[in-house]
């Protein structure tokens, strides 16, 4: 196994003079050198062929015995220089100070095809200076969820970090899953995730909070040079355009979430990628019976700050925190305000794009926004499964008057009866609107097929794979990954993966609600 590394992040940005995991405040530095802590029995549980190809690895590399040792943290390849990143963040609206990678250790920046850079990062590889009171490890269940969802989101076409591998550690990790005073050991695992960079809004917030303008400047220059090269070296105008593009990317990312029914669950500013990638898969979830107020995160059950329907507003709030942190780099605030305004415009475009595509229209007119909002209201009142409903909407034209494609989208007969008449009325208006649109029936069907997935990573599907993996059978992870590689295609014989939430999953932990324990 050979990977070419070029660790520009370490080379170009100031680091912590001390290495090793001693817990500390780290000033004036973007990183601390720290090695993964070896585990007793690293073994490969799953891997992603598409992610491996990005860094030039194939099935033979992955099958070799050193693969699990390297991606379990027991060995290093030439060129690796492991580090933990330093950053702060607002957690649930409050400034939390220094956070940093408490259990993520980056191994190096792999060079892929056409000069692409992929930072390879182990999650759960042991303590770092940023571990605070915790153990630096991750349990199998949360690692399976991060591994699968990273790849599922990529195949859905939503910007995201990627996942290369899932390695079991052979060690127990003690967690109090329900935070009810009953800690127990669970199997441990390590995901290797990949992104061009894992810098987040919090990476800027921390130096800004400390008045460290020099580090703010260097982070910004580094990011532009390596990740927004067309904007590098253009002074304040370049900085302004860069921030505006971060705003736009963030808007399109969240629109991707809204299109497929994804709820991130912990949109703290330390979990917001500067590249507009979905990052840090924790207590996320997928909307089933449609509800804009739903959050899967039990830790957020009271305030519901991070519920499905408010994700665009939260993204905007997070961007305003980033703008405040960048203020020392600007003579006036106007360019930052202009950047934030670009979020609004990008969101409007992205939202219209998703409305048009989900409804099978060439363009979204103002009246279509109302049509879509009325549908959302009906789906909520009728407790209708979001994914099943939209898929059926794209298919029922071909089925003629037959409403059978919708049947499985309902969870509750009374709720269904309550909206039946209004829904029929809505379908009639939708039909009339489609006929007043340039797309023909075939184009319409294809547009809707590619906007409305058949398969999403419903929490209970992940949980089934986790239950099996905890019994020592990782085949369920591989099969589920394979399903999620083609979410818009019909996959005969895989109806189970496209089904509505079964009754057993309604209240089971890990299926409807999740804690942050991971
Ligand atoms: P998260 O909510 O997962 O984004 O984590 C917030 C902060 O807590 C980050 O600084 C993490 O690195 C840190 N953290 C979470 N779990 C652990 C753990 N088991 N060990 C060390 N640090 C952790
Ligand atoms: Mg995080």
């Amino acid at each position: 196994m050979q990977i070419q590394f070029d660790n520009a992040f370490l080379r170009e940005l100031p680091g912590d003079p001390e290495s090793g995991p001693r817990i500390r405040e780290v000033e004036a530095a973007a990183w601390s050198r720290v090695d993964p802590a070896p585990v007793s029995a690293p073994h490969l549980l799953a891997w992603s062929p598409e992610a491996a190809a990005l860094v030039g690895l194939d099935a033979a590399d992955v099958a070799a015995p050193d693969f699990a040792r390297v991606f379990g943290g027991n060995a290093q390849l030439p060129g690796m220089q492991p580090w933990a990143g330093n950053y702060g963040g607002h957690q649930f609206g409050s400034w939390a100070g220094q956070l940093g990678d408490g259990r993520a250790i980056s191994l190096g920046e792999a060079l892929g095809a056409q000069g692409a850079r992929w930072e390879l990062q182990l999650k759960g590889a042991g303590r770092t200076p940023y571990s605070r009171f915790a153990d630096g490890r991750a349990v199998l269940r949360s690692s399976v969820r991060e591994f699968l969802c990273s790849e599922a989101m990529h195949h859905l076409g939503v910007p995201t970090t990627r996942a290369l591998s899932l390695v079991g550690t052979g060690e127990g990790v003690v967690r109090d899953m329900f935070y009810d005073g009953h800690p127990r050991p669970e199997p441990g695992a390590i995901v290797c995730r990949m992104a061009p960079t894992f810098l987040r809004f919090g990476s800027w917030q921390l130096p800004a909070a400390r008045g460290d303008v020099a580090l703010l400047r260097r982070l910004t220059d580094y990011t532009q040079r390596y990740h927004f090269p067309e904007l590098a070296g253009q002074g304040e105008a370049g900085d302004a355009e860069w921030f505006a593009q971060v705003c736009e990317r963030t808007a399109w990312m969240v629109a991707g979430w809204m299109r497929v029914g994804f709820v991130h669950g912990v949109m703290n500013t330390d979990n917001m990628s500067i590249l507009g990638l979905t990052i840090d898969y924790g207590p996320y979830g997928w909307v089933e019976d449609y509800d804009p107020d739903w959050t899967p995160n039990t830790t957020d059950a009271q305030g519901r700050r991070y519920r499905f329907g408010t994700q665009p507003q939260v993204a905007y709030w997070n961007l305003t925190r980033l703008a405040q942190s960048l203020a020392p780099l600007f003579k006036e605030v106007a360019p930052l305000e202009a950047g934030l305004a670009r979020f609004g415009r990008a969101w409007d475009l992205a939202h219209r794009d998703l409305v048009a595509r989900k409804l099978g229209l060439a363009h979204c007119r103002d009246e279509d926004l109302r049509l879509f909002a009325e549908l959302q209201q009906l789906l909520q009142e009728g407790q209708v499964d979001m994914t099943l409903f939209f898929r059926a909407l794209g298919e029922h034209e071909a089925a003629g008057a037959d409403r059978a494609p919708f049947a499985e989208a309902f969870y509750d007969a009374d709720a269904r009866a309550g909206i039946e008449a209004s829904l029929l009325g809505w379908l009639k208006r939708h039909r009339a609107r489609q006929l007043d649109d340039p797309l023909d029936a075939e184009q319409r069907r294809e547009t809707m097929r590619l906007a409305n997935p058949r398969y999403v990573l419903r929490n209970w599907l992940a949980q089934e794979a986790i239950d099996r993996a905890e019994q020592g059978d990782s085949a369920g992870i591989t099969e589920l990954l394979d399903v999620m590689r083609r979410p818009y295609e019909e996959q005969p014989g895989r109806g189970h993966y496209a089904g509505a939430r079964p009754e057993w999953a309604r209240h089971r932990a890990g299926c409807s609600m999740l804690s942050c324990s991971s």
Side-chain angles (χ1 to χ4, degrees), residues 91 99-103 131-132 134-137 175 271 280:
Q91 298 185 313
L99 294 167
D101 288 329
R103 57 166 165 179
S131 298
R132 293 175 288 166
D135 59 6
R137 294 298 186 189
R175 288 288 182 272
N271 292 338
D280 260 16

Side-chain angles (χ1 to χ4, degrees), residues 75-92:
Q76 288 176 30
L77 298 175
M80 287 182 169
Q81 295 176 292
W83 76 87
N86 190 12
Y87 52 83
H90 276 86
Q91 298 185 313
F92 298 94

Side-chain angles (χ1 to χ4, degrees), residues 36 48 61 69 96 109 122 127 148 170 179 192 222 301 304 324 329 342 387 465 468 485 505 515:
S48 160
D61 294 312
R69 295 181 58 240
E109 290 170 59
L122 302 185
R127 286 198 176 84
L148 285 173
Y179 296 123
C192 179
Y222 162 82
R304 296 200 190 202
Q324 282 177 341
L329 302 181
R342 293 258 293 268
T387 301
R468 277 172 73 182
R485 287 164 82 187
S515 74

Side-chain angles (χ1 to χ4, degrees), residues 101-356:
D101 288 329
R103 57 166 165 179
I105 297 182
S106 293
L107 301 172
E109 290 170 59
L111 295 183
Q114 279 107 41
R117 257 165 211 281
W118 291 100
E119 186 174 331
L120 303 181
Q121 184 179 77
L122 302 185
K123 187 160 171 183
R127 286 198 176 84
T128 78
Y130 310 102
S131 298
R132 293 175 288 166
F133 43 83
D135 59 6
R137 294 298 186 189
V139 292
L140 178 63
R141 59 183 156 79
S142 67
S143 305
V144 169
R145 286 169 49 82
E146 175 139 24
F147 172 78
L148 285 173
C149 204
S150 307
E151 292 303 283
M153 290 287 266
H154 166 72
H155 293 296
L156 282 164
V158 180
T160 178
T161 63
R162 303 295 300 274
L164 171 65
S165 57
L166 174 69
V167 170
T169 60
E171 293 178 358
V173 174
V174 176
R175 288 288 182 272
D176 185 356
M177 183 173 163
F178 300 105
Y179 296 123
D180 64 353
H182 295 94
R184 64 174 184 99
E186 300 183 44
I190 296 174
V191 173
C192 179
R193 54 185 194 176
M194 315 192 340
T197 175
F198 285 92
L199 284 170
R200 336 80 211 283
F201 295 4
S203 310
W204 278 260
Q205 285 183 287
L206 183 61
R210 288 169 169 171
D212 186 350
V213 180
L215 182 51
L216 274 183
R217 185 70 260 163
R218 288 185 68 177
L219 273 169
T220 305
D221 288 346
Y222 162 82
T223 302
Q224 291 174 4
R225 181 154 164 228
Y226 284 90
H227 303 290
F228 296 78
E230 66 291 353
L231 302 177
Q234 294 178 25
E236 202 176 301
D239 292 343
E241 179 60 22
W242 167 68
F243 175 66
Q245 290 190 12
V246 173
C247 291
E248 289 177 346
R249 287 190 191 200
T250 304
W252 281 93
M253 170 189 77
V254 175
W257 299 354
M258 304 311 285
R259 176 173 61 83
V260 299
F262 175 80
V263 192
H264 182 284
V266 201
M267 289 177 74
N268 293 333
T269 56
D270 56 306
N271 292 338
M272 297 292 294
S273 151
I274 202 71
L275 300 182
L277 305 173
T278 313
I279 185 177
D280 260 16
Y281 292 91
Y284 66 81
W286 296 82
V287 171
E288 295 190 304
D289 46 320
Y290 189 83
D291 182 2
D293 294 329
W294 182 66
T295 170
N297 183 356
T298 52
T299 313
D300 193 24
Q302 287 300 309
R304 296 200 190 202
R305 183 180 177 85
Y306 299 141
R307 57 194 188 269
F308 178 59
T310 49
Q311 293 184 120
Q313 286 91 317
V314 172
Y316 183 81
W317 189 88
N318 289 343
L319 285 162
T320 63
R321 302 281 81 70
L322 178 61
Q324 282 177 341
S325 301
L326 295 176
L329 302 181
F330 289 82
K331 288 193 281 295
E332 291 168 35
V333 296
L336 290 164
E337 287 169 354
L340 289 169
R342 293 258 293 268
F343 175 90
R345 287 205 291 283
W347 169 257
D348 186 56
L349 269 178
H351 179 61
R352 283 171 181 266
D353 175 72
L354 86 82
V355 167

Side-chain angles (χ1 to χ4, degrees), residues 379-439:
L379 295 182
Q380 183 175 5
E381 273 170 42
Q383 298 172 32
V384 187
D385 187 275
M386 176 178 171
T387 301
L388 287 168
F389 179 86
F390 279 103
R391 192 74 181 186
L393 188 63
E395 286 166 356
H396 92 288
E397 183 179 357
D402 182 9
R403 305 247 176 264
F406 292 107
E408 54 178 354
F410 292 93
Y411 286 101
D412 183 283
D414 291 342
R416 175 183 185 165
I419 63 156
E420 192 87 43
S422 321
L423 185 59
L424 280 175
W426 186 92
L427 288 170
K428 275 207 188 101
R429 280 181 289 140
H430 177 231
R431 185 86 196 98
R433 172 63 185 87
Q434 285 187 327
L435 295 176
D436 182 27
D437 186 88
L439 296 186

